[in-house]
Amino acid sequence: MFYQHTPSSRFLLGTAGYPSPAILQQAIETSGTEIITVSLRREGSAGGAFRELLQQLNTRILPNTAGCHTVKEAVTTARMARELFGTSWIKLEVIGHADTLQPDPFALVEAARILCAEGFQVFPYTTEDLIVGEKLLEAGCEILMPWGAPIGSGQGLRNIEGLKTMRAWFKDVPLIIDAGIGAPSQAAQAMEMGFDGVLLNTAVAKARDPVRMAAAFSAAIAAGHQAYQAGLMEQRDMAAASTPIFGLAQFS
């Protein structure tokens, strides 16, 4: 559940970088996603046509503060997004490192505290750091969005153990993997670890066939979640025969 909203799909999809508005629309519809992220800067540059497209889609908009590097920028952008899109949801990004696009944890927590106090329902883009996670929850966030890898890198889950620890530590907090996912298998892996959703953009938008890739990610995310719910077998150091010995014919 994401702030009292329980979507049927655990796939959150970004809307930037698609070859055309028509392909974007087809990808969203094929993905089955109920939540799409929209940058205020993207909406502003595209104008009314993009806004009309968003209104046609049966999805919930999660505006984001992409491109913001300071608390002031992020808070101002969030306030503008609330006015434009009519939602208190905000994906909070405060970038601290130009090359990796890693979030600035100090500015992120400060911005989250301000926005939560103003009634925003904040989806913070963060790292797998447990202390930062605790501070974000203390600030009023009810969900955490740790990165898998740097934005747009397609490297998948670079810190498996760290993410597993985060999942175990925040066992009652919705966790969504955000950024770095490049293949459906990586998304399935995140869901098999018990994460509550996956948010991605580039892996679909820049695929040779974005619509087909959206379908692939949708299936992988659903399969990964189903596998987690079913209970994955534990890994063993040695082989273990799946066929029982009892009842086999004896030859001498």
Side-chain angles (χ1 to χ4, degrees):
M1 179 178 290
F2 309 149
Y3 289 107
Q4 290 75 56
H5 177 70
T6 305
S8 61
S9 171
R10 294 172 182 271
F11 185 10
L12 290 74
L13 187 60
T15 56
Y18 288 80
S20 70
I23 291 178
L24 167 61
Q25 182 173 0
Q26 291 176 50
I28 290 173
E29 292 172 346
T30 301
S31 73
T33 183
E34 295 178 33
I35 301 172
I36 57 173
T37 62
V38 178
S39 167
L40 188 64
R41 297 181 182 187
R42 165 76 173 89
E43 199 281 340
S45 64
F50 183 62
R51 193 179 308 174
E52 290 178 8
L53 172 60
L54 296 180
Q55 292 173 346
Q56 296 173 15
L57 300 170
N58 186 28
T59 56
R60 183 158 185 166
I61 294 176
L62 174 59
N64 68 44
T65 61
C68 294
H69 292 261
T70 67
V71 173
K72 183 177 180 180
E73 275 186 304
V75 170
T76 300
T77 301
R79 290 168 177 165
M80 293 172 64
R82 181 163 61 180
E83 291 297 318
L84 182 61
F85 295 110
T87 178
S88 60
W89 278 19
I90 191 74
K91 181 191 170 192
L92 180 61
E93 298 182 25
V94 187
I95 302 301
H97 193 273
D99 291 333
T100 64
L101 300 182
Q102 178 174 328
D104 178 337
F106 307 102
L108 178 66
V109 172
E110 183 179 350
R113 184 174 292 109
I114 293 170
L115 293 174
C116 288
E118 294 184 5
F120 281 89
Q121 295 175 312
V122 178
F123 293 66
Y125 162 61
T126 183
T127 66
E128 65 275 20
D129 188 287
L130 300 183
I131 305 303
V132 177
E134 292 280 12
K135 295 298 183 182
L136 288 168
L137 295 177
E138 291 173 6
C141 299
E142 296 181 14
I143 191 169
L144 299 174
M145 302 181 72
W147 66 348
I151 295 172
S153 69
Q155 296 178 17
L157 308 180
R158 292 206 309 181
N159 184 2
I160 297 291
E161 293 307 315
L163 289 170
K164 285 182 177 179
T165 299
M166 188 177 200
R167 177 66 284 178
W169 187 258
F170 298 113
K171 61 181 180 179
D172 297 322
V173 177
L175 300 180
I176 298 174
I177 293 293
D178 177 17
I181 296 294
S185 57
Q186 297 166 353
Q189 182 183 26
M191 298 306 296
E192 289 171 358
M193 290 165 56
F195 283 85
D196 298 285
V198 173
L199 192 161
L200 58 91
N201 186 161
T202 307
V204 170
K206 300 302 183 183
R208 184 170 60 251
D209 185 340
V211 177
R212 195 168 187 174
M213 186 62 77
F217 269 105
S218 179
I221 290 169
H225 176 66
Q226 191 171 24
Y228 174 75
Q229 292 293 316
L232 296 167
M233 68 174 289
E234 295 183 2
Q235 294 185 2
R236 300 187 177 101
D237 293 330
M238 300 292 290
S242 57
T243 302
I245 296 177
F246 179 77
L248 293 180
Q250 298 294 320
F251 301 96
S252 58

